Amino acid sequence: MFVNTDAVTTDWSIGEEVLSAFCEADARLVPESIHQWETRIGEFHSIEQCEPHWAGIARWRINGSLLEFPIGLGWRRKKAVKYQAEIKHSQTSVHGRWLGGGLSVYAAPHNTLDWVPVFRRACNAMTSTFGILHYFTPVEDTGRPGTGEGYFSGGIIPSKGMPKRIPNIGWATFFGGEFAKDVKAEQIAEAGFAIEEVGDGYLARITDNINDVADSYPHFSKRRAELKKLFPDDFFLVKDEPISL
């Protein structure tokens, strides 16, 4: 799961809502430990415990200048549902350019867990511009860095030297910000896809179950191609569907 945003993410009200999304969606998603970068801070006991660590300030001195930037928080589980999540905060670069932030979640496949409530709340809380919830199987998780496929598997919207476009549609995709205006919600619903308004954007799903990506990839691929036809021709970087072997 990837949730991208151009909004400020350091405020604790956002952190509280994002962590609540995990803790309240399913007891199997309550974090077991919290981290900053690769350093383990300790065991997770409560959401409130995470407030001082949500956006700690790091200070580096480069060429005599003191640079300050927010450090994101990570949280992990190793039992029941194995996953790791990390927030990368939006911030101003050393060159004065605003850099969007995001939430990244890597999880082991699970047959009975519903990630949609977490995804929905995170996209809303972070005023997301683009987000995907997807099951990456070997047929798709092969993109090289700098390609549309690579941006897709990394949950990234390209920002340097390329038009700002969504790489591809995931099993569930959130279209926010400037992307929301090209979502034809009524046509998408009439074509049999689940779509809902979330905040100022739209969350669309291709099938009813995320495991369909692995269990019935040809059907998923066919439906994704049909959904992409309901968007402008230049909306996505990845034009063609991968070939399932």
Side-chain angles (χ1 to χ4, degrees), residues 2-15:
F2 301 102
V3 179
N4 293 273
T5 184
D6 288 327
V8 175
T9 55
T10 51
D11 193 275
W12 171 238
S13 64
I14 295 175

Side-chain angles (χ1 to χ4, degrees), residues 43-179:
E43 294 183 0
F44 176 89
H45 298 292
S46 68
I47 293 174
E48 293 71 25
Q49 162 208 11
C50 299
E51 182 175 1
H53 308 291
W54 174 251
I57 299 298
R59 295 176 175 86
W60 282 357
R61 188 171 293 279
I62 301 178
N63 296 328
S65 298
L66 181 64
L67 302 178
E68 297 184 342
F69 56 92
I71 306 173
L73 179 70
W75 56 99
R76 302 177 184 180
R77 274 194 72 98
K78 293 183 178 179
K79 300 176 183 176
V81 175
K82 184 178 180 180
Y83 77 88
Q84 63 181 56
E86 184 176 16
I87 180 76
K88 179 182 179 183
H89 289 298
S90 303
Q91 57 189 281
T92 302
S93 73
V94 294
H95 302 293
R97 188 166 64 93
W98 182 250
L99 303 175
L103 172 69
S104 301
V105 183
Y106 299 90
H110 201 285
N111 290 330
T112 64
L113 186 74
D114 183 6
W115 280 99
V116 173
V118 180
F119 182 56
R120 181 188 294 117
R121 285 183 67 174
C123 288
N124 192 36
M126 296 175 63
T127 317
S128 177
T129 52
F130 162 65
I132 57 171
L133 173 60
H134 194 62
Y135 187 156
F136 284 97
T137 62
V139 71
E140 286 187 310
D141 197 10
T142 58
R144 300 186 310 277
T147 66
E149 291 79 6
Y151 286 119
F152 178 52
S153 61
I156 302 169
I157 296 176
S159 58
K160 291 183 179 180
M162 295 182 70
K164 194 171 184 180
R165 298 178 190 164
I166 285 178
N168 203 358
I169 296 180
W171 172 78
T173 305
F174 179 79
F175 305 91
E178 64 186 76
F179 299 118

Side-chain angles (χ1 to χ4, degrees), residues 31-51:
E32 292 175 342
S33 60
I34 56 176
H35 304 252
Q36 280 188 325
W37 289 334
E38 292 302 315
T39 303
R40 187 178 187 274
I41 297 172
E43 294 183 0
F44 176 89
H45 298 292
S46 68
I47 293 174
E48 293 71 25
Q49 162 208 11
C50 299
E51 182 175 1

